Amino acid sequence: EAQVTQNPRYLITVTGKKLTVTCSQNMNHEYMSWYRQDPGLGLRQIYYSMNVEVTDKGDVPEGYKVSRKEKRNFPLILESPSPNQTSLYFCASSLWGDKPQHFGDGTRLSIL
Amino acid sequence: GESVGLHLPTLSVQEGDNSIINCAYSNSASDYFIWYKQESGKGPQFIIDIRSNMDKRQGQRVTVLLNKTVKHLSLQIAATQPGDSAVYFCAENGGNTGKLIFGQGTTLQVKP
């Protein structure tokens, strides 16, 4: 089954404790992206990757890191999480940019 | 900066009626537009897309209209069903192949 898989689905943690949210796709897609979704603000793009070893900032990259060492994986790293990063996060992938993106089921992060 | 907005936060329609969800975008450089549907607890799901060289595109029960003159996008759903109840987002690429900018979302409620 073609899918985008995120882990964990839920996480409660504390300020400053580094965490990684993994994202994996099995569709051999070139393009991958991370979004956060907050009430009243909709979905906002954090980072995206057009291909392996190529990453670019979206609209809200501050406080986040990403890496794209292999095509299928695109982890989101919060080196020092803060409460304002409490949000619902989505990973997405597509064949390439300007193609419909397939979204994962989301990761709900709570930073205390 | 650019923004994508939806005219109404909530739209309530009778089952069987047609639904029209509107979206205004501000970036005239955008050349790719997408509509997504998001059900509670799930990630956004692709519905239909359109490129700027087209005015209209039809799918199964859905039609997207693009008016570049007034920077307006609409999603028409024919014979709306209870399963269509969800939040609908429009998105644009701002002329950048890698980026995707989402609107705030319109909640569609289908009354039986």
Side-chain angles (χ1 to χ4, degrees), chain A residues 9 31 35 37 40-43 45 48 50 57-59 88 90 97-101 103-105, chain B residues 31-32 34 36 38 41-46 49 51 89 93 96-104:
Chain A
R9 294 292 315 281
Y31 179 96
Y35 300 86
Q37 185 172 30
L41 296 175
L43 284 136
Q45 194 170 32
Y48 63 95
M50 301 288 280
K57 296 178 181 178
D59 290 323
L88 178 59
F90 287 101
D98 281 5
K99 279 291 186 184
Q101 293 181 26
F103 283 77
D105 287 332
Chain B
D31 54 14
Y32 181 60
I34 312 178
Y36 283 95
Q38 187 176 25
K42 296 184 179 180
Q45 179 185 2
F46 168 77
D49 60 357
R51 299 193 183 276
F89 294 95
N93 72 348
N96 180 326
T97 299
K99 297 194 78 172
L100 206 57
I101 304 157
F102 281 79
Q104 296 296 307

Side-chain angles (χ1 to χ4, degrees), chain A residues 11 20 33 39 49 59 67 76 80 84 88-90 96-97 100 104:
Chain A
L11 179 63
T20 299
S33 183
S49 170
D59 290 323
S67 68
L76 179 69
S80 183
N84 64 11
L88 178 59
Y89 291 85
F90 287 101
W96 59 77

Side-chain angles (χ1 to χ4, degrees), chain B residues 44-78:
Chain B
Q45 179 185 2
F46 168 77
I47 302 172
I48 193 167
D49 60 357
I50 190 168
R51 299 193 183 276
S52 58
N53 60 352
M54 301 173 71
D55 298 322
K56 179 180 179 178
R57 191 163 188 224
Q58 288 184 290
Q60 188 177 12
R61 278 202 309 120
V62 294
T63 301
V64 56
L65 298 177
L66 175 63
N67 185 331
K68 295 180 287 293
T69 302
V70 295
K71 289 188 279 196
H72 184 268
L73 193 67
S74 69
L75 176 70
Q76 300 177 2
I77 304 173

